Amino acid sequence: MRNAALQSRMRERELRQRELAELVNDAISQLTGRVGEVSERVVRRWLTGQTRWPQERQRLALEAVFGCPILELGFIPRGAAVPVTPEEPVHRRAFITATATTALSAAAPALAASRVGSSDIERLETKFAALIASDHRHGGRVTIETHALALADEALTLQQLGTASQRIRCGLYACAAAFTSSAMWAAIDGRRFDTALRHFDRASSLAAMSGDPTIQFRIWSHAGTLYRHIGRPADALATNDVARNLSIGRRDPMFASLGHARHAAIHAVTGNTGATQRAFGHAQDAFDRADPHADRPLWLKAFYDQAEIDSLALSAYLSLGNYEQAEAHAHRSLAVLRPHMHRSRAITTTRLAQAQLGQGDLEPAVATAMSVPADAATRHVRVAGMLHSFTTKIHATAPHSPAAHAWDQYAHDTRRNLA
């Protein structure tokens, strides 16, 4: 008998079998510290009813993903004849993310009597750390976006149904804003721009209620990047200015540096070389003044460093058509890029190939493009899009060259091997 409840939940979240498998594996990793091994075949067995009661770690992960007890997902315990209906209360609060209305109503009695405190904030921050790590490894995936939104709803559930001090309530809003901003960034990275705009609206409202200038900075800075990517530089400059004018930028040079660096990338899109160079100069000066040991939010410490400044400069000088300068920044970025930045390394390497191709160095450009990990080259939307542009340009530049032929053959073989 098919598992109609699970199929319905997947349809609500617009999840394909592969995406659910990835999300469950991420949850297993966070819950147990071990990599999950759920495949599309396993998900298919759940949907067809061949597997009626998954392994315990898979059940816990499914509860975390969908935010409801496992019995509400249509699974049947061993020895039971029929599924338990959603009205029969089964509480597994430690792993529930409470994203559906039925899950909220089922959890309400337990939560209403509880006091929300610092330990709940710390638990959410631990999940945020795992989400950030997943983003740096995979980037842009719908599964990351979906998981982030579920965690935001978990924070808001505690806000609505628990009792807490004003400080804790502000912290819960900050957590919800942080998770929503991660969903926004995943949508930007995955080129789902309309979705990202919707997340921006919600994230900015939650951040305002939190009163936390650091998360407000992150959201408005993300918005500047979003508008830059969709070709609205005036809006990009305006929203990034909101971030740069927050008090945190005046108190901490590291935030000021990020604001200047992203402003520089926006100026480059408009073709303003002078403004781009001045902004990068301000970004570098502020970065050099910042105390590297100061207490800062995890999301900032996880990605912003000298490698990111050079990565943004690489992007900017590509936009300006200054390929030699772009290549120099690419090499500097790659030399100091931290090991966990898998997505950033793939993006920077792809841009390096574009910079080399822009200078007419066909063989080095192709060799660099071939060094991009195959998984990122085919499954990361932004990287795949840049490599498609690389293909178009090499065909326009030297369509019959050995380098172009070698690249076409490599791209064909890579797609076939990963199909």
Side-chain angles (χ1 to χ4, degrees):
M1 182 175 66
R2 290 192 63 83
N3 188 331
L6 178 62
Q7 188 173 42
S8 176
R9 297 275 184 163
M10 290 176 63
R11 190 179 299 114
E12 289 174 4
R13 295 287 189 86
E14 297 181 352
L15 287 175
R16 295 188 292 271
Q17 292 178 19
R18 176 176 59 80
E19 292 167 342
L20 177 57
E22 291 172 355
L23 197 54
V24 169
N25 285 333
D26 285 344
I28 289 174
S29 177
Q30 293 166 33
L31 294 170
T32 68
R34 297 182 180 181
V35 177
E37 298 180 349
V38 174
S39 63
E40 288 184 65
R41 182 172 177 270
V42 171
V43 175
R44 194 156 47 247
R45 289 178 64 88
W46 293 342
L47 289 168
T48 60
Q50 290 177 277
T51 299
R52 301 202 307 170
W53 193 240
Q55 300 171 3
E56 182 179 14
R57 62 180 177 273
Q58 294 173 356
R59 297 197 303 270
L60 296 177
L62 282 163
E63 289 182 343
V65 168
F66 288 103
C68 66
I70 192 67
L71 297 177
E72 293 187 10
L73 295 174
F75 292 105
I76 307 171
R78 291 184 180 86
V82 294
V84 179
T85 62
E87 288 71 25
E88 294 181 60
V90 179
H91 300 293
R92 301 292 296 278
R93 291 182 55 218
F95 301 104
I96 290 177
T97 54
T99 57
T101 302
T102 53
L104 288 174
S105 60
L111 286 172
S114 66
R115 176 99 182 153
V116 183
S118 298
S119 61
D120 295 285
I121 300 291
E122 292 170 3
R123 177 174 54 81
L124 290 169
E125 289 175 346
T126 299
K127 293 184 178 183
F128 185 55
L131 185 69
I132 293 290
S134 180
D135 178 64
H136 286 311
R137 175 171 291 276
H138 303 296
R141 293 185 178 179
V142 174
T143 52
I144 294 174
E145 181 185 349
T146 302
H147 192 197
L149 292 176
L151 291 171
D153 284 340
E154 179 180 350
L156 292 175
T157 297
L158 292 172
Q159 179 73 264
Q160 298 300 321
L161 300 178
T163 60
S165 67
Q166 184 60 33
R167 180 181 65 84
I168 294 299
R169 290 200 179 281
C170 288
L172 290 172
Y173 278 126
C175 286
F179 288 130
T180 308
S181 69
S182 286
M184 175 186 172
W185 181 253
I188 293 170
D189 206 26
R191 293 305 188 257
R192 300 180 295 278
F193 296 128
D194 288 344
T195 301
L197 285 167
R198 291 195 296 272
H199 294 329
F200 169 52
D201 289 339
R202 187 187 189 208
S204 57
S205 296
L206 291 168
M209 288 187 282
S210 78
D212 184 342
T214 64
I215 193 58
Q216 291 177 37
F217 183 100
R218 186 188 197 215
I219 291 162
W220 285 96
S221 184
H222 279 351
T225 301
L226 169 59
Y227 285 123
R228 172 166 63 89
H229 282 309
I230 61 179
R232 293 166 57 178
D235 290 333
L237 290 169
T239 49
N240 198 57
D241 267 336
V242 174
R244 297 199 307 146
N245 290 331
L246 290 166
S247 60
I248 190 64
R250 295 187 294 274
R251 296 200 307 267
D252 189 340
M254 193 68 78
F255 282 88
S257 176
L258 176 56
H260 286 305
R262 285 182 168 167
H263 227 56
I266 300 167
H267 280 308
V269 172
T270 70
N272 192 333
T273 301
T276 299
Q277 292 173 334
R278 286 191 297 273
F280 274 126
H282 294 320
Q284 192 65 59
D285 288 344
F287 182 82
D288 292 340
R289 285 188 287 108
D291 178 1
H293 306 296
D295 184 28
R296 296 188 178 93
L298 169 69
W299 62 264
L300 184 66
K301 293 189 292 186
F303 91 100
Y304 192 65
D305 54 12
Q306 186 62 54
E308 180 64 14
I309 294 176
D310 282 306
S311 176
L312 285 166
L314 161 61
S315 174
Y317 285 109
L318 279 177
S319 296
L320 292 168
N322 187 337
Y323 299 115
E324 184 176 355
Q325 187 77 356
E327 181 177 3
H329 283 290
H331 288 300
R332 283 201 286 267
S333 181
L334 290 170
V336 295
L337 196 63
R338 286 174 278 177
H340 71 276
M341 305 292 281
H342 299 279
R343 175 197 57 198
S344 295
R345 184 171 298 278
I347 290 172
T348 302
T349 303
T350 304
R351 286 176 173 160
L352 171 58
Q354 292 176 325
Q356 292 169 327
L357 183 59
Q359 297 173 79
D361 298 331
L362 269 63
E363 286 78 11
V366 167
T368 299
M370 287 181 178
S371 72
V372 176
D375 184 66
T378 57
R379 292 176 180 166
H380 189 289
V381 176
R382 182 147 48 129
V383 175
M386 289 191 293
L387 288 174
H388 178 75
S389 298
F390 177 87
T391 301
T392 300
K393 187 166 184 178
I394 199 171
H395 285 167
T397 303
H400 304 298
S401 65
H405 176 73
W407 172 247
D408 287 343
Q409 187 62 50
Y410 173 81
H412 175 268
D413 291 345
T414 300
R415 286 191 299 269
R416 183 181 61 190
N417 292 337
L418 290 177

